[in-house]
Amino acid sequence: MGVLNLVGLGISKKFLTEVAIRTLKESDIIYFDNYTSKSCNININTLREIVGNKRNIIEADRTLLENNSRLIMEYLDKNYKVSIAVIGDALIATTHVSLIVEAKQRGHKVNIIPGISVHCYIISKSLLSSYKFGRSVTVTFPYDNFIDPAIYNVIRENKQLGLHTILYLDLKEGRAMTANEAIQILLKLEEKFKMNVISKSDIIIVGARLGCDDEKIIATTIEEALKADFGSTPHIIILPGNLHYMEADAIKWMLMK
């Protein structure tokens, strides 16, 4: 019987847990998910530092993990201990559940090692009520000038319910979208659909390099955010819905710059 581990690495080195490190060291094969998320200081070299160069560490893109699970299952069938290492949490905003189901169906053991995700982290740092968040959505890079309207629709539906929206920012070929680029995309969507969902006067919360010593979490208007320098990526955005007066006071005194 093989062992499949889904290992959350957290959002930065200081949030790596003891159980995550121990699991990686005990693994025969480690797949490092390089497409789901980006950290300010965790990469494949970080894993090599943790487990040493003797371990087989494979940088895995979406195609490998989602379309070539056969390779992973072959290792499990040989009774290997295989770990899928993911920045943040291995099962938040990812599609790795299919690997778990397939491994269990083949009679293998599965372990899930949670990690601190950017989703939970930005909610805590934003000072907004966790009960008031609606669906999240990823702002994707335009393709041939086409912008996915799902972004706009999710924000609109959340705002109609008074809920806050977390916007993940796209990662493509190793380059992470900046908050400024994402805001420009949002304004283009508003210009196209004209449903008064996004206004330059709206409050926006931007997180940059979360979990690192130089992290930034700033609340400002969309208009001001367009001109701001949030520093190096990764970035993440919250568009608040209806603010309780305590949420509004917290943002005013803690985050407004």
Side-chain angles (χ1 to χ4, degrees), residues 167-234:
L167 302 178
Y168 301 113
L169 307 191
D170 202 6
L171 182 63
K172 185 176 182 181
E173 297 177 355
R175 188 176 87 80
M177 180 183 292
T178 66
N180 309 77
E181 289 174 316
I183 293 166
Q184 289 171 353
I185 289 171
L186 297 181
L187 292 174
K188 286 180 181 178
L189 285 169
E190 179 60 49
E191 184 179 350
K192 178 178 180 179
F193 293 108
K194 294 181 170 61
M195 298 176 71
N196 297 318
V197 172
I198 298 159
S199 167
K200 287 187 176 181
S201 62
D202 288 345
I203 296 294
I204 189 173
I205 298 173
V206 177
R209 293 179 62 79
L210 298 184
C212 283
D213 294 337
D214 58 346
E215 76 172 22
K216 295 179 182 178
I217 302 165
I218 298 171
T220 185
T221 64
I222 286 179
E223 185 172 28
E224 290 299 316
L226 271 174
K227 301 176 287 185
D229 180 5
F230 297 104
S232 299
T233 57

Side-chain angles (χ1 to χ4, degrees), residues 44-204:
I44 194 167
N45 292 324
T46 309
L47 299 189
R48 293 192 179 108
E49 292 171 7
I50 292 171
V51 304
N53 289 325
K54 292 182 180 180
R55 292 289 189 278
N56 192 353
I57 304 175
I58 301 167
E59 197 155 12
D61 59 13
R62 184 185 298 273
T63 299
L64 193 157
L65 289 179
E66 294 186 5
N67 300 325
N68 288 316
S69 62
R70 174 185 57 82
L71 301 174
I72 298 170
M73 297 304 140
E74 286 177 357
Y75 283 122
L76 293 175
D77 291 342
K78 295 176 182 177
N79 298 327
Y80 281 37
K81 294 179 180 178
V82 180
S83 287
I84 312 296
V86 184
I87 291 169
D89 187 285
L91 291 173
I92 292 182
T94 69
T95 58
H96 300 318
V97 172
S98 60
L99 292 173
I100 293 173
V101 172
E102 188 173 358
K104 292 293 283 186
Q105 288 174 339
R106 296 168 78 106
H108 301 298
K109 183 178 180 181
V110 175
N111 295 317
I112 299 171
I113 295 87
I116 294 179
S117 72
V118 68
H119 183 94
C120 300
Y121 193 92
I122 190 60
I123 289 176
S124 293
K125 291 279 188 165
S126 73
L127 308 178
L128 300 177
S129 170
S130 62
Y131 298 105
K132 290 178 60 182
F133 280 81
R135 289 174 57 200
S136 303
V137 67
T138 299
V139 182
T140 53
F141 285 109
Y143 180 76
D144 286 343
N145 293 320
F146 173 78
I147 301 174
D148 186 357
I151 304 164
Y152 191 83
N153 292 332
V154 168
I155 297 169
R156 177 176 58 82
E157 291 166 6
N158 284 343
K159 282 201 168 186
Q160 287 174 344
L161 297 171
L163 301 176
H164 313 313
T165 306
I166 291 178
L167 302 178
Y168 301 113
L169 307 191
D170 202 6
L171 182 63
K172 185 176 182 181
E173 297 177 355
R175 188 176 87 80
M177 180 183 292
T178 66
N180 309 77
E181 289 174 316
I183 293 166
Q184 289 171 353
I185 289 171
L186 297 181
L187 292 174
K188 286 180 181 178
L189 285 169
E190 179 60 49
E191 184 179 350
K192 178 178 180 179
F193 293 108
K194 294 181 170 61
M195 298 176 71
N196 297 318
V197 172
I198 298 159
S199 167
K200 287 187 176 181
S201 62
D202 288 345
I203 296 294
I204 189 173

Side-chain angles (χ1 to χ4, degrees), residues 33-49:
D33 174 341
N34 68 359
Y35 70 89
T36 298
S37 189
K38 179 182 177 182
S39 166
C40 53
N41 61 14
I42 295 178
N43 52 45
I44 194 167
N45 292 324
T46 309
L47 299 189
R48 293 192 179 108
E49 292 171 7

